Structure formats: C-alpha cells, structure tokens
C-alpha cells in the first residue's frame, strides 16, 4: 500500500501532512489505513465524526514509539474536563495532555484556579471565567452561554445537576456550592446575580428560572 494523490485524498489534509512529517513510511502508511477505517466506521451514539477521528489519532505514535500525536478538543469549541485535566472526547478516555485552563486558551476557565479539579464540559465562550470559577465542580453537563462567570467563585463546588448550565450562574459566588436535590435537570437563564443560588439545591435554583426553558432532562 502506497498513499498517493490518486488512491488517498486524505494525504492532502493537514492531519495527514503532520503524520507524514513525524512518522517513517511504514508507520505513515499504517496511520493512513487506520484513519481511513475510522472515517468509514459507524459512530457510537452521540459521537461526532471529528471526535472519533481525533480519538483514533491520539493513539498513533511517532517514530520513537513514545511521543503521542496529541489531539485537541478545541476544534469543536468545547473542552472536556475531568479533575481539571482536558480529554479528547466527552467519554473521558484519552487525555489531551493539557489542563482544562490551557486547553481553553483564554476562552474559558480563565482566572486564578478556574476549573481546578473540575469535571464536566465547558464551552469556549467565556464560561467558567473568574477567580475559582468552576473549581471542584462536578456532576454537570455542558456549561455554556456563557455561564459560571463573574468576579469570583461562580459555580465553585457546584454539584447540583447532571444537566446543562446555560446562560446561568453569572455573578460573584453565583451557584457556588449548588447542591444536588435528587432530581436531574438543566439551568437556563437562572441565578445571574451576585450570590444568587449560593448553597441552594437544584430545585431551589430552578425556581428562579424561566420554567419554559428548564424541563427535566
């Protein structure tokens, strides 16, 4: 098997060029076959083609057999975090090698200790910004909007929802120590004032929301 312009269009892609530069020919040919197979393989429920290809790519090694070609979750605009470390996909099986803060590149988790020990998915739209924002938070879905941002401590140690937090919890200490109340659910346009929903349960926080946007998940 010899990758050429005719039999492998993926050789023109930036990913293929990186592989070609970092691998000897035999490993490059193997990588192309793996990626071609991944491009045609069925996806798991909820998995995008791009994330599937990145999950395959991150397992490939360079010539020395030790240095991984690290994939990034930044391409889709989300950062998948577990205990403050960034992962390639939302199933948290393969690390990118970066902290969540570094993976955000200043577009989320920006501030002293922001996202430290955080587990969840954050969008690179200004979410989890501010001192201690989202630190020690867990059991949440996607944080976006932006959400969990402010002068400090927004969503710190929040564990109240396995659903999404959207356009919510923006303010000093907003949703800090949000507590799980036995019912999963989303927060949408809630708790956007200083100290709002601090130490509240999810059900109490949802009472401050537009109920049309906050059905149970």
């Amino acid at each position: 098997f010899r990758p050429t312009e005719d039999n492998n269009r993926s050789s023109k892609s930036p990913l293929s060029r990186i592989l070609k530069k970092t691998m000897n020919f035999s490993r490059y040919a193997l990588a192309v076959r793996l990626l071609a197979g991944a491009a045609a393989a069925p996806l798991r429920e909820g998995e995008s083609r791009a994330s599937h290809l990145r999950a395959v790519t991150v397992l490939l090694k360079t010539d020395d057999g030790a240095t991984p070609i690290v994939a990034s979750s930044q391409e889709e605009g989300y950062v998948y975090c577990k205990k403050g470390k960034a992962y390639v996909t939302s199933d948290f099986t393969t690390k990118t090698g970066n902290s969540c803060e570094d993976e955000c590149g200043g577009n989320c988790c920006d501030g002293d200790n922001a996202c430290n020990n955080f587990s969840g998915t954050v969008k690179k739209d200004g979410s989890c910004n501010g001192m201690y924002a989202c630190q020690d938070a867990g059991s949440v879905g996607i944080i976006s909007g932006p959400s969990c941002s402010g002068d400090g401590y927004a969503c710190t140690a929040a564990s109240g929802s396995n659903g999404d937090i959207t356009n919510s919890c923006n303010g000093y200490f907003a949703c800090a120590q949000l507590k799980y109340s036995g019912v999963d659910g989303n927060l949408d346009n809630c708790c956007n004032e200083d100290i709002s929903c601090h130490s509240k349960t999810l059900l109490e926080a949802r009472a401050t929301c537009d109920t049309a946007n906050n059905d149970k998940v």
Side-chain angles (χ1 to χ4, degrees), residues 4-216:
T4 67
E5 290 283 323
D6 294 330
N7 65 18
N8 185 17
R9 294 180 182 178
S10 68
S11 64
K12 295 182 179 180
S13 71
L15 175 58
S16 183
R17 288 197 295 270
I18 291 171
L19 292 174
K20 195 169 186 178
K21 288 180 180 178
T22 55
M23 292 180 174
N24 61 31
F25 178 78
S26 62
R27 290 192 62 78
Y28 170 72
L30 174 61
V32 169
R33 287 198 296 271
L34 285 172
L35 290 172
L43 299 176
R44 292 174 296 178
E45 184 177 356
E47 182 182 33
S48 70
R49 179 64 61 188
S51 64
H52 181 75
L53 288 172
R54 284 199 303 275
V56 172
T57 304
V58 80
L59 300 177
L60 301 175
K61 304 289 184 178
T62 59
D63 287 346
D64 60 11
T67 306
I69 298 174
V70 177
S72 169
S73 60
Q74 291 188 5
E75 294 175 25
E76 292 187 342
Y78 294 90
V79 176
Y80 309 112
C81 299
K82 185 175 182 180
K83 299 297 183 182
K85 302 298 183 182
Y87 283 71
V88 177
T89 56
S90 58
D91 59 4
F92 305 110
T93 56
T94 306
K95 294 180 180 179
T96 69
N98 294 326
S99 68
C100 296
E101 180 181 9
D102 289 341
E103 193 78 17
C104 280
N107 296 306
C108 54
C109 300
D110 187 22
D112 290 345
N113 291 303
C115 295
N116 184 35
N117 208 38
F118 163 65
S119 295
T121 299
V122 58
K123 188 172 184 178
K124 297 193 298 179
D125 61 356
S127 292
C128 292
N129 280 0
M131 181 175 60
Y132 294 98
C134 299
Q135 175 174 287
D136 295 319
S139 299
V140 296
I142 298 173
I143 298 178
S144 66
S147 295
C148 300
S149 293
D151 292 335
Y153 300 94
C155 296
T156 300
S159 60
S161 171
N162 287 316
D164 300 333
I165 299 178
T166 308
N167 298 313
S168 299
C169 304
N170 295 306
Y172 182 63
F173 270 96
C175 297
Q177 297 181 316
L178 184 71
K179 301 172 184 176
Y180 183 64
S181 55
V183 177
D184 295 340
N186 300 323
L187 290 179
D188 193 341
N189 291 298
C190 314
C191 312
N192 286 315
E193 297 179 2
D194 289 349
I195 316 180
S196 58
C197 302
H198 175 251
S199 297
K200 300 293 186 181
T201 67
L202 174 61
L203 288 178
E204 290 170 333
R206 281 162 59 90
T208 73
C209 307
D210 176 359
T211 56
N213 294 329
N214 290 278
D215 295 332
K216 293 180 182 179

